[in-house]
Amino acid sequence: MKNIKVGLLGFGTIGTGVVKVIQQNCGILASRLGATIELARIADLDTTTDRGVELSPGVLTDDAQGLLNDPGIQVVVELIGGYEPARTFVLQAIRNGKHVVTANKALLAKHGDEIFAAAEVAGVDVMFEAAVGGGIPIISAIKENLGANNFYAFYGILNGTCNYILTEMDEEGKDFSDVLDEAQKKGYAEADPTFDVEGVDTAHKLALLLSLCFGTKVDYDQIYTEGISNITALDIEYARDFGYKLKLLAIGKRDGDKIEARVHPTMIPEDYPLAAINGVFNTVRLVGDFSGPVMLSGYGAGMNATASAVMGDVLAVARDLQTDCGSRMPALGCPQSELLPLSIKPMEQIVTHYYLRFNVKDQPGVLAKIAGVLGEHEISIESMVQPHRHEAEAVPIVFMTHAAEERNVNAALAEINKMDVIRDETLLIRVEDHLE
Ligand code: HSE
């Protein structure tokens, strides 16, 4: 039986999971592949911590260069994370003719162009199933099984930390900071949760899905990114009263030569399938012109689920190596020369529905003044509530609008926020009402 040698860069949680899959499922892998997969080297600066797995002597090293320059290693798995030295190592592996498997969404969202172009020149694969949605096979589904479809839109719940926090806020009526605190104590949320709760992690994943679904390069910095730290349990309760659930959504839509690329808290109808995705689960729902809607759901993070996705990629690369077919699958599903020059639609041009929560002084005429300004800016009100809630002399007033252009909403809010009856900055949450 042929033997395929794999080198692993980074021996953290996911790296340990990869070792476990290879050890536990070596028989299954070998019979499915008709070859053995050997973890020839693992490079990590920390060679002493006990990860709870047995390795053959000499496998674990702190010498990444030795791994990258080992002519026997055909596949390099990068699980270091972050930009550097991951970028340098990945490019070096590619130049050395090695196929690359990575879970590094931040690296690919920012430096994907450079890495994918280098891989095409070198004729090697760059696979990254674990970078989006952990154990969910969304990338191979888009590139392969759904590859005959034109995609119009997709929606993703792509961050388990945020979905867990929003679920707890919804079910327990707790505030954001209390749930985050608990999640950190239980080890569900990172010690520094900024990337997760401010939507950055979701935006990294969105950048990759946009490229894959719409066949275009995406300037990650142009993706509109708003997290969940301003959301209160009250907004979730009001959303429920209006018949909505609140989720942090990654939204990708194609509109001619423009795409919508946005990450923000979003109210969605409570009977829409994504509304039922709770806790740490991730889900992507995409709409192909022939397939219709397809929804994939599963663990978006964690040692086992992520290692499963990494090893699925290793298996795919190993199969190509078995049949000597080089780089069969372009990283983004189409050759670099075929990528379309689509641009991201500015947020000002987005048309959607809006939830607007004003915190106002409770006195006659306030409601009429606010409604007047909204009307002057072509914003039509669909419904409105003034909940019985006083805080000192202030009360909330909540409006749901019909579809409006974001430029008009911003102009109206700029005017309204200057009124002396407004107590706090108005909260705006976008509402996606007509999802496919
Ligand atoms: N920290 C992410 C999450 C997983 O909470 O879903 C890695 O992207």
Side-chain angles (χ1 to χ4, degrees), residues 105 131 158-162 188 190 196 201 205 280 282 300-301:
K105 62 228 85 174
L158 297 174
N159 187 270
T161 305
C162 286
Y188 296 167
E190 303 279 347
D196 289 320
D201 176 72
K205 295 165 183 169
V280 295
N282 279 200

Side-chain angles (χ1 to χ4, degrees), residues 166-174 232-246 267-270 355 389 400:
L166 291 174
T167 303
E168 285 290 296
M169 289 172 75
D170 185 9
E171 290 177 356
E172 307 295 330
K174 292 180 187 161
T232 69
L234 222 51
D235 296 304
I236 293 178
E237 189 186 318
Y238 297 156
R240 195 184 310 129
D241 293 344
F242 282 112
Y244 294 98
K245 282 269 185 190
L246 187 71
M267 290 191 186
I268 53 178
E270 63 191 355
Y355 163 101
R389 243 178 240 275
M400 279 286 184

Side-chain angles (χ1 to χ4, degrees), residues 24-297:
Q24 191 174 318
N25 287 355
C26 60
I28 285 175
L29 287 165
S31 61
R32 288 185 181 154
L33 183 61
T36 50
I37 291 178
E38 178 193 346
L39 198 46
R41 288 190 195 218
I42 303 176
D44 195 289
L45 291 176
D46 174 4
T47 57
T48 52
T49 299
D50 179 10
R51 276 90 166 175
V53 286
E54 290 281 323
L55 297 173
S56 306
V59 168
L60 184 56
T61 169
D62 61 2
D63 179 14
Q65 287 305 322
L67 185 157
L68 290 163
N69 293 317
D70 180 339
I73 289 179
Q74 292 161 289
V75 188
V76 170
V77 178
E78 183 275 309
L79 298 174
I80 303 169
Y83 300 125
E84 285 296 350
R87 174 181 157 273
T88 302
F89 288 170
V90 163
L91 289 170
Q92 202 177 332
I94 290 169
R95 277 197 300 272
N96 288 353
K98 299 180 191 313
H99 299 281
V100 171
V101 173
T102 177
N104 195 334
K105 62 228 85 174
L107 176 69
L108 296 181
K110 207 122 192 162
H111 299 292
D113 281 2
E114 182 187 18
I115 290 168
F116 300 144
E120 196 171 283
V121 170
V124 296
D125 288 323
V126 174
M127 308 279 278
F128 51 96
E129 186 64 71
V132 181
I136 308 170
I138 183 67
I139 291 173
S140 59
I142 296 170
K143 289 203 292 195
E144 308 215 42
N145 316 78
L146 297 170
N149 285 266
N150 214 342
F151 295 107
Y152 301 125
F154 64 85
Y155 308 92
I157 294 174
L158 297 174
N159 187 270
T161 305
C162 286
N163 206 44
Y164 171 80
I165 292 174
L166 291 174
T167 303
E168 285 290 296
M169 289 172 75
D170 185 9
E171 290 177 356
E172 307 295 330
K174 292 180 187 161
D175 263 320
F176 169 81
S177 52
D178 295 336
V179 181
L180 175 59
D181 235 30
E182 282 170 23
Q184 284 173 315
K185 281 183 191 134
K186 288 180 185 162
Y188 296 167
E190 303 279 347
D192 179 359
T194 316
F195 261 40
D196 289 320
V197 300
E198 297 308 340
V200 178
D201 176 72
T202 301
H204 286 149
K205 295 165 183 169
L206 174 60
L208 293 171
L209 290 183
L210 287 164
S211 288
L212 289 158
C213 283
F214 302 137
T216 186
K217 290 183 183 177
V218 173
D219 180 355
Y220 164 76
D221 293 321
Q222 280 188 35
I223 295 179
Y224 177 80
T225 306
E226 181 187 322
I228 62 167
S229 54
N230 287 334
I231 301 296
T232 69
L234 222 51
D235 296 304
I236 293 178
E237 189 186 318
Y238 297 156
R240 195 184 310 129
D241 293 344
F242 282 112
Y244 294 98
K245 282 269 185 190
L246 187 71
K247 296 288 175 191
L248 182 73
L249 281 200
I251 298 173
K253 290 186 192 177
R254 173 97 189 256
D255 180 6
D257 60 359
K258 293 228 176 337
I259 53 175
E260 291 188 24
R262 44 195 173 104
V263 172
H264 51 70
T266 312
M267 290 191 186
I268 53 178
E270 63 191 355
D271 57 358
Y272 185 64
L274 281 179
I277 307 302
N278 288 323
V280 295
F281 276 87
N282 279 200
T283 299
V284 180
R285 184 175 168 100
L286 64 171
V287 187
D289 54 352
F290 280 82
S291 66
V294 172
M295 191 158 121
L296 293 173
S297 202

